[in-house]
Amino acid sequence: MTLSALRVAIIVFPGSNCDRDMMVAIEQLTSRRPALVWHKEASLDAADLVIIPGGFSFGDYLRCGALAGRSPIMNAVLDHAARGGAVMGICNGFQILTETGMVPGVLIRNAGLKFACRNVGLQVCETLASPFTSGLVTSKRLIIPIAHNEGNYFAEPDELNQLEGNGQIAFRYTDSKAIGPANPNGAAHDIAGVISQNGRVLGMMPHPERAMSDLHGSTDGAYLLLKSLEALAS
Amino acid sequence: MQAIVNISLKDAVLDPQGRAISHSLTDLGFNEVTDVRVGKQILLEIDENDPARLRQRVARMCETLLSNTVIEDYSIVIPDEE
Amino acid sequence: MQAIVNISLKDAVLDPQGRAISHSLTDLGFNEVTDVRVGKQILLEIDENDPARLRQRVARMCETLLSNTVIEDYSIVIPDEE
Amino acid sequence: MTSASDKMTFQNAAAMGLSRDEWNLITQRLGRVPNLCELGIFSAMWSEHCSYKSSKKWLKTLPIDGPQVIEGPGENAGAVDIGDGLAAIFKIESHNHPSYIEPYQGAATGVGGILRDVFTMGARPVALLNALRFGEAGHDKTRHLVNGVVSGIGGYGNCIGIPTIGGEVNFHKSYNGNILVNAMAVGLTNSDRIFRSAATGPGNPVIYVGAKTGRDGIHGATMASAEFSDETESKRPTVQVGDPFTGKLLMEACLELMASDSVLSIQDMGAAGLTSSSVEMASKGGLGMEIDLDLVPAREENMSAYELMLSESQERMLMVLKPEATETARVIFNKWDLDFMPIGQVTETGRLVLLKNGAAACDIPIGPLVDDAPEYDRPHGDAPTRPKLASHDIATNSQISKTLKSMLGHVDLASRRWIYEQYDSQVMADTMAGPGGDAALVRVHGSHRGLAISTDCTPRYVEANPKTGGAQAVAEAYRNLSAIGATPLAITNNLNFGNPEKPEIMTQLVDSIIGMGDAARMLDTPVVSGNVSLYNETDGSAIQPCPVIGMVGVIDDVELAVGHGFIAAGNDILVVGQNDSKNDGWLGASIYQQHFGDDKIYAPPPIDLAAERAHGSFVRQQILAGKINAAHDISDGGLAVAIAEMALKSGLGASILVPEQGQLHAWAFGEDQARFVVSTEDGTALIAAAKDAGIEITSIGMVSEASELKFGDRDTISLQELNDVFESCIPSLMAG
Ligand SMILES: Nc1ncnc2c1ncn2[C@@H]1O[C@H](COP(=O)(O)OP(=O)(O)O)[C@@H](O)[C@H]1O
Ligand SMILES: [Mg+2]
């Protein structure tokens, strides 16, 4: 199918704040405006991709992603994923995915105990078959911004080994020209993004929707999103 | 009735905040501090008069929302329980 | 020896986090919840064998660092104290 | 317990900060003695904060008109026309005292408050900035305060999802006991959809929305007086806690409601909460208001009329709706899980009537609360004249490179990265230039147009000469906008000063307003909003005066904007403005003096407003014509620091020609005004253009491939070495 035939749904929680940014980014790439779905909805129209955007759903209160993870819409998202539907969670979306167990691990407080907003270098990893990585050149280093307080990826050592072995690590922090350590938050194994065992769910901390044009200083986010959309359309 | 939920990070989980506090305490001259872990304490007011039932309900709240059992342990205290 | 510091927001201070949790619990069917307040629990391992002295030192730590006395109250528990 | 009928005395009034004359005026206007609630309302409305009683006379002298101005001072925020039928709405506000007491919550609620001022007017906020002043780097409290304030600003702004794109920070001992936290917000809306606060239509419902009211922030001076209550302890004023999550919901709900045709007038509850919002709405509409306080959503039990009226709980709004729109509005606020409560109505009486438990807790005419608010012409005199610092009267350091390295590690010059990386500067995905450059630039969503914004003030100049300092703040902001290619439109200001009852402080206030006004007139940037914060003193000693300017400008095509990083090796580097080595550079009141000189106060660099205007316009035009590819204004630290920043930003070095005569350190670090460093592919053409425009310009070197700065033939330093001190200063300060 063509990109403009792709049905993309973006979930909006109270406190989401990258929902519009993601909508604009997807529309830029597909020429079709994604649906915004309010968290109180109990069902989800058929979608080729569900995106859980960044922000501070429910103010990050209790634990980031915890309250959103129990919102009515999440049952529908879980069903969608159980049917093999594609789901992408960015930043707070990633935190929500871990809270609901859709991807493994947990995101805890940045090792520096500070919110961090800056560009990071991302290495695209070899992974199991996944629409989110299949179109990306693995040797490529992407420059994409992060902006988070809790991006420090944690999983038990066994689980980390398993993730490594399965090829579930999608992106790792790597050197960039930006000032500061390559790994901005202390994430285990420099993990910036992981995929589920079936490759259909991706969670990542960096914000591709903020690297969509030269005016943003990088087009690598557009590249990353475009390749995912193309894979999902084919 | 009141219920108190104490939530702590599992031992295997790194606690950057605890570490930072421990450092600061040492810097401030509290050299005797050897370890610090930071957890949460949630106080709930609940419309329920039976301590046993209360405990059961609160345990459910912990499992469904209050604690993330991947990284956290919790314990429940019911002050009115003898 | 261990010391536990429980830190809570003063009563009149708004606890937005508690409010949000309370809402969510109600939405999840725990209608009996009437109020939620969230505090911190700090566990300290300290190289000190005298409970009275320990309590005194920990109180100092609370005043200088652990608690923000403008908006928080704290209480100290020494499990080894009888 | 105090009841509504308790008669107040002058002692009560004094405890609330009112003078004998003010008390007499109140009883005279009422024809009786007020009760507690009424007295509280008078004291709040007549406080310096709400009435501007010491500054009003002088604020009136500021220019407020211009073809671009849609809304000048008086509403919640100012509004200017930015073309395409759009208006930029902006204001700056201080939260100094609360931030000193509780830095995280003080700063967070400062951000929340200024955002409400902007979205109250119907604008979606698109940018936040903050102007901060802390005590000396080495002072006990500084680290704690910086940490708390920065995380509080980030805590609110990041969560609500408005990018924090710029600001400024200085450190000085005069702020040891009184920090400054000023937050600025900028929003956008259609010029024909601006909401105002004047109440209209007697009988129309008055609606309370947002969070519930608690006992937070009730006027401290009042509650500390034991005779008001037996329960003083439990009622002591508590710190206001920001709730950015509720703030976000309130913002979305208000903007959603404003898109329907329901709102007649709206006012946020900021300082003095329900009091100032209800009084201002009624007063502006020339009407009255009746409120049943039992209907006000309260977070705590048994709140008195006084407490309900004076609480400063956050995230609340008051609106007058079209009666038929009440249900539409209720549905929207329910959707966002916010309180929504009709609590009264607009009346024709011109009185503020408050009911509590069915009885009148307050019944006073609104006129005197606003119109009779005192206005003082406080005594002031002439600012002291300061000696000129001759450049041979200060340590002359041998090599420019060594001195430069030391200067870049000065806490007022070093990189602010540690601060601004804690702010989400990119959310909304329209940030074209975030923190770290001259002006910040945000794209108007869905268009090519950009808003350029900067906050500026150099307190050491203001202290040395308030008139020059007041003008310089405007001029520097003007330069910062010009340096990216933007056309300045208008300003907001935050006047932070000590106790105005002292003539020398009043002199600072008056003179800097005069200087600011002169500059604003000359540079066509009228003042459309602002805030005054006085009594910034501890133990009788005042802060360095700090009249902060927030300036907003526009660029038609964001692609034309330039940054301050060099673009390519081989480009020519030039100075626009005075660069005559026979004219010694100006070191009085400079960072160089702070760093290497004595503590005396010397005359600051003079301001030539005509030159500021000409040079700024020239740089802007050449940028828009594509003839300048990087520009940086020369401010703190002088020419050498400006060049170093351009090099560090780009990683490209430069080879600089140094003058053969004159004082090298003064040439390199003097802070003469109205100057820019620019780079271009074609220096000859730029020089010709400058000559045509009658502007002084000097070629001073060339961008180089090598990562080093060369001053003349013998003096070279690597960018790495400079970068290390530039980047490590604040992180190591904060690491302790
Ligand atoms: N408190 C702050 N918050 C955000 N950005 C800041 C802050 N302080 C300084 N900055 C940014 O750091 C850069 C350097 O600041 P400054 O030296 O004051 O600039 P200038 O001299 O051009 O006015 C600017 O881009 C400014 O916006
Ligand atoms: Mg500048």
Side-chain angles (χ1 to χ4, degrees):
Chain A
M1 81 177 107
T2 61
L3 285 184
S4 62
L6 272 180
R7 295 159 304 177
V8 179
I10 298 172
I11 311 293
V12 184
F13 297 97
S16 294
N17 62 33
C18 303
D19 43 338
R20 185 195 74 175
D21 306 356
M22 186 53 93
M23 179 183 84
V24 169
I26 298 293
E27 191 174 4
Q28 174 187 325
L29 298 171
T30 64
S31 311
R32 173 170 171 166
R33 175 162 290 211
L36 294 178
V37 183
W38 183 235
H39 76 118
K40 284 181 186 167
E41 303 287 326
S43 65
L44 193 59
D45 288 342
D48 302 299
L49 172 63
V50 172
I51 300 180
I52 309 184
F56 283 70
S57 59
F58 295 90
D60 267 4
Y61 295 140
L62 188 59
R63 295 179 307 278
C64 45
L67 303 182
R70 278 80 184 167
S71 254
I73 192 66
M74 285 311 292
N75 292 323
V77 175
L78 282 160
D79 288 346
H80 165 84
R83 291 191 300 267
V87 180
M88 178 185 226
I90 306 294
C91 196
N92 188 231
F94 186 10
Q95 295 160 344
I96 295 169
L97 292 180
T98 60
E99 272 286 337
T100 49
M102 294 171 75
V103 293
V106 188
L107 293 148
I108 60 175
R109 195 112 179 249
N110 293 350
L113 300 176
K114 286 185 173 35
F115 190 92
C117 174
R118 62 179 177 90
N119 277 333
V120 294
L122 284 188
Q123 180 208 337
V124 179
C125 306
E126 290 287 356
T127 64
L128 52 77
S130 166
F132 299 112
T133 49
S134 60
L136 302 176
V137 176
T138 45
S139 59
K140 210 173 150 85
R141 185 187 66 181
L142 308 179
I143 302 291
I144 297 186
I146 54 160
H148 61 247
N149 231 328
E150 277 113 346
N152 182 350
Y153 188 81
F154 173 86
E156 304 275 353
D158 289 352
E159 183 145 38
L160 285 170
N161 289 337
Q162 220 173 341
L163 292 176
E164 294 277 5
N166 292 349
Q168 285 180 256
I169 297 168
F171 307 108
R172 271 185 237 272
Y173 299 110
T174 184
D175 259 332
S176 71
K177 275 204 240 150
I179 289 167
N183 180 338
N185 51 32
H189 294 210
D190 298 330
I191 292 172
V194 295
I195 46 182
S196 59
Q197 265 181 8
N198 68 357
R200 304 292 293 172
V201 182
L202 166 73
M204 64 185 288
M205 289 313 298
H207 286 272
E209 77 280 9
R210 299 183 185 184
M212 297 296 295
S213 82
D214 287 330
L215 286 167
H216 283 143
S218 168
T219 55
D220 291 348
Y223 165 77
L224 188 153
L225 290 175
L226 181 65
K227 293 300 163 189
S228 298
L229 293 166
E230 282 173 355
L232 289 166
S234 71
Chain B
M1 254 185 189
Q2 208 192 32
I4 302 173
V5 177
N6 293 319
I7 298 176
S8 59
L9 282 177
K10 289 190 171 154
D11 285 341
V13 181
L14 201 88
D15 178 8
Q17 198 183 358
R19 256 230 316 253
I21 293 177
S22 173
H23 269 161
S24 295
L25 285 172
T26 318
D27 285 352
L28 289 168
F30 298 105
N31 303 312
E32 67 266 49
V33 175
T34 58
D35 191 37
V36 179
R37 310 272 299 168
V38 182
K40 272 182 272 210
Q41 184 168 64
I42 304 182
L43 308 181
L44 300 142
E45 267 324 316
I46 296 179
D47 205 355
E48 170 62 70
N49 293 322
D50 175 33
R53 276 246 300 283
L54 179 58
R55 175 174 288 279
Q56 211 183 7
R57 288 292 281 177
V58 174
R60 268 273 268 303
M61 296 178 201
C62 288
E63 295 289 334
T64 38
L65 178 71
L66 298 181
S67 129
N68 179 341
T69 48
V70 179
I71 48 166
E72 294 171 333
D73 292 324
Y74 66 87
S75 67
I76 299 171
V77 180
I78 312 275
D80 286 342
E81 221 175 35
E82 246 65 337
Chain C
M1 256 187 186
Q2 209 193 30
I4 302 173
V5 177
N6 293 319
I7 298 177
S8 58
L9 282 176
K10 291 190 170 155
D11 279 344
V13 174
L14 174 72
D15 179 7
Q17 179 160 226
R19 221 183 59 125
I21 295 172
S22 171
H23 262 163
S24 279
L25 286 172
T26 317
D27 286 350
L28 288 168
F30 298 105
N31 301 313
E32 66 267 48
V33 175
T34 58
D35 190 37
V36 179
R37 308 271 300 168
V38 182
K40 269 185 281 205
Q41 184 169 63
I42 303 183
L43 307 182
L44 301 142
E45 265 327 316
I46 297 180
D47 206 354
E48 170 63 69
N49 294 321
D50 175 33
R53 277 248 297 285
L54 179 59
R55 175 174 288 278
Q56 213 181 8
R57 289 291 282 177
V58 174
R60 268 272 268 305
M61 295 179 202
C62 288
E63 295 288 335
T64 41
L65 180 75
L66 299 180
S67 137
N68 177 351
T69 49
V70 179
I71 52 174
E72 294 170 337
D73 290 326
Y74 64 88
S75 67
I76 299 171
V77 180
I78 312 275
D80 286 343
E81 221 175 35
E82 248 63 336
Chain D
M1 273 293 288
T2 312
S3 85
S5 59
D6 280 354
K7 298 271 189 287
M8 294 288 108
T9 64
F10 169 61
Q11 274 67 39
N12 302 127
M16 294 188 194
L18 291 164
S19 71
R20 171 71 73 179
D21 287 347
E22 290 167 351
W23 164 253
N24 289 342
L25 191 58
I26 293 170
T27 51
Q28 187 201 330
R29 283 304 139 103
L30 290 182
R32 62 178 167 86
V33 166
N35 65 29
L36 171 63
C37 177
E38 293 166 339
L39 182 61
I41 290 171
F42 268 100
S43 88
M45 291 309 298
W46 288 11
S47 69
E48 188 68 57
H49 190 92
C50 292
S51 73
Y52 294 89
K53 57 190 170 192
S54 303
S55 56
K56 208 190 292 178
K57 172 175 162 56
W58 298 99
L59 293 176
K60 284 181 193 152
T61 67
L62 290 169
I64 57 170
D65 295 317
Q68 71 275 45
V69 176
I70 297 174
E71 192 69 62
E75 280 294 330
N76 285 295
V80 291
D81 186 342
I82 62 159
D84 294 342
L86 293 174
I89 297 200
F90 59 96
K91 183 168 192 281
I92 190 167
E93 196 154 77
S94 64
H95 232 207
N96 303 339
H97 292 286
S99 301
Y100 185 75
I101 294 168
E102 212 311 283
Y104 184 96
Q105 296 299 346
T109 50
V111 172
I114 195 63
L115 284 171
R116 278 194 301 285
D117 275 333
V118 164
F119 70 75
T120 300
M121 295 195 63
R124 178 169 285 279
V126 296
L128 284 164
L129 293 90
N130 55 94
L132 312 177
R133 301 293 184 287
F134 295 104
E136 292 163 289
H139 188 262
D140 291 353
K141 282 214 158 119
T142 298
R143 207 159 20 121
H144 161 73
L145 291 168
V146 174
N147 241 323
V149 165
V150 170
S151 49
I153 289 171
Y156 204 102
N158 300 347
C159 180
I160 197 168
I162 314 296
T164 300
I165 57 169
E168 54 175 348
V169 200
N170 288 138
F171 297 82
H172 186 269
K173 62 175 187 293
S174 70
Y175 305 109
N176 281 352
N178 192 126
I179 61 173
L180 302 183
V181 175
N182 297 174
M184 174 174 175
V186 185
L188 284 170
T189 187
N190 292 333
S191 329
D192 58 358
R193 288 203 65 85
I194 294 177
F195 289 81
R196 293 178 175 80
S197 56
T200 51
N204 284 334
V206 174
I207 315 278
Y208 171 115
V209 298
K212 292 189 186 347
T213 300
R215 290 193 172 92
D216 11 12
I218 294 171
H219 195 247
T222 316
M223 293 315 293
S225 306
E227 66 242 45
F228 288 138
S229 157
D230 301 324
E231 308 161 296
T232 317
E233 186 49 35
S234 67
K235 288 187 178 176
R236 196 165 271 158
T238 51
V239 169
Q240 309 152 44
V241 170
D243 180 1
F245 173 56
T246 301
K248 164 86 172 162
L249 304 186
L250 185 61
M251 175 174 81
E252 296 299 342
C254 286
L255 293 175
E256 189 174 328
L257 177 63
M258 286 161 160
S260 72
D261 198 18
S262 312
V263 180
L264 291 171
S265 53
I266 178 164
Q267 169 74 37
D268 71 303
M269 293 190 220
L274 197 46
T275 293
S276 65
S277 50
S278 57
V279 169
E280 275 169 31
M281 290 176 90
S283 150
K284 282 189 184 138
L287 293 164
M289 202 173 273
E290 187 177 297
I291 291 174
D292 184 349
L293 292 176
D294 293 324
L295 297 175
V296 170
R299 198 174 80 228
E300 297 178 67
E301 281 170 23
N302 300 321
M303 288 186 68
S304 68
Y306 174 88
E307 291 170 328
L308 288 166
M309 288 307 287
L310 284 134
S311 159
E312 293 188 2
S313 290
Q314 300 290 296
E315 339 297 351
R316 304 178 299 158
M317 292 274 188
L318 203 60
M319 327 186 278
V320 176
L321 293 182
K322 292 185 177 168
E324 67 277 14
T326 312
E327 276 322 298
T328 318
R330 188 193 302 276
V331 168
I332 291 174
F333 282 85
N334 283 346
K335 166 185 162 192
W336 292 98
D337 287 325
L338 293 165
D339 273 295
F340 177 95
M341 184 60 79
I343 58 168
Q345 57 180 338
V346 178
T347 64
E348 255 165 343
T349 61
R351 299 181 76 82
L352 180 68
V353 177
L354 305 174
L355 303 172
K356 186 84 176 83
N357 303 324
C362 161
D363 185 350
I364 50 179
I366 286 178
L369 281 174
V370 181
D371 306 335
D372 293 352
E375 182 177 330
Y376 297 124
D377 184 0
R378 300 215 187 263
H380 56 98
D382 291 328
T385 39
R386 310 291 188 184
K388 208 186 147 191
L389 172 63
S391 30
H392 50 77
D393 281 346
I394 187 169
T396 329
N397 292 274
S398 51
Q399 281 190 306
I400 295 179
S401 63
K402 294 264 157 49
T403 314
L404 175 60
K405 181 174 164 187
S406 166
M407 292 275 284
L408 287 178
H410 186 282
V411 70
D412 280 342
L413 287 179
S415 166
R416 270 73 184 115
R417 183 182 308 279
W418 184 92
I419 294 169
Y420 62 67
E421 285 191 347
Q422 294 186 55
Y423 303 148
D424 189 336
S425 54
Q426 297 164 324
V427 61
M428 300 183 91
D430 284 314
T431 302
M432 304 286 102
D438 287 323
L441 180 62
V442 289
R443 180 172 54 190
V444 173
H445 191 69
S447 83
H448 289 288
R449 196 166 287 249
L451 283 183
I453 316 165
S454 178
T455 66
D456 290 280
C457 179
T458 312
R460 57 182 194 278
Y461 296 168
V462 187
E463 179 181 45
N465 183 328
K467 193 164 163 225
T468 305
Q472 193 274 344
V474 182
E476 185 174 343
Y478 182 86
R479 281 201 300 269
N480 276 326
L481 263 60
S482 301
I484 72 163
T487 306
L489 287 176
I491 59 183
T492 181
N493 67 74
N494 205 140
L495 305 175
N496 303 279
F497 290 84
N499 179 353
E501 293 160 40
K502 297 181 184 169
E504 67 276 17
I505 302 289
M506 197 59 206
T507 305
Q508 293 176 341
L509 177 63
V510 171
D511 279 11
S512 36
I513 291 176
I514 292 172
M516 182 183 292
D518 288 346
R521 264 182 294 270
M522 184 63 159
L523 301 174
D524 285 333
T525 52
V527 179
V528 296
S529 60
N531 177 244
V532 179
S533 169
L534 302 178
Y535 299 97
N536 289 290
E537 301 210 352
T538 336
D539 301 330
S541 76
I543 56 160
Q544 256 186 352
C546 189
V548 174
I549 294 296
M551 186 177 283
V552 172
V554 71
I555 185 164
D556 288 341
D557 183 352
V558 289
E559 306 229 19
L560 297 177
V562 302
H564 74 283
F566 291 133
I567 299 297
N571 283 179
D572 293 312
I573 304 173
L574 302 97
V575 171
V576 174
Q578 186 269 121
N579 185 46
D580 180 352
S581 56
K582 278 164 282 167
N583 250 338
D584 265 359
W586 196 284
L587 292 175
S590 67
I591 298 263
Y592 187 88
Q593 184 209 329
Q594 276 201 351
H595 204 47
F596 298 110
D598 55 28
D599 273 348
K600 286 211 199 76
I601 300 178
Y602 295 99
I607 288 285
D608 175 347
L609 292 169
E612 294 287 358
R613 185 185 171 111
H615 299 177
S617 307
F618 174 74
V619 168
R620 181 184 324 121
Q621 282 156 13
Q622 297 300 317
I623 289 171
L624 296 177
K627 304 287 166 61
I628 287 177
N629 59 20
H632 198 13
D633 73 307
I634 300 180
S635 56
D636 284 355
L639 173 65
V641 167
I643 293 169
E645 287 173 349
M646 297 177 82
L648 290 176
K649 173 78 183 182
S650 60
L652 293 167
S655 168
I656 302 298
L657 306 164
V658 302
E660 278 150 27
Q661 51 190 54
Q663 304 272 348
L664 261 197
H665 64 297
W667 169 80
F669 303 106
E671 295 182 3
D672 303 77
Q673 301 291 299
R675 298 191 300 158
F676 297 83
V677 183
V678 300
S679 76
T680 175
E681 285 177 11
D682 187 348
T684 318
L686 196 65
I687 290 172
K691 293 266 150 69
D692 285 349
I695 284 168
E696 199 175 333
I697 191 166
T698 322
S699 179
I700 58 155
M702 199 171 268
V703 180
S704 68
E705 199 67 64
S707 290
E708 59 184 29
L709 288 185
K710 273 183 77 163
F711 294 95
D713 291 335
R714 282 184 299 278
D715 187 8
T716 301
I717 188 163
S718 78
L719 294 187
Q720 188 62 52
E721 206 178 330
L722 294 176
N723 195 62
D724 287 347
V725 288
F726 185 60
E727 291 296 344
S728 66
C729 170
I730 293 193
S732 49
L733 165 68
M734 294 310 297

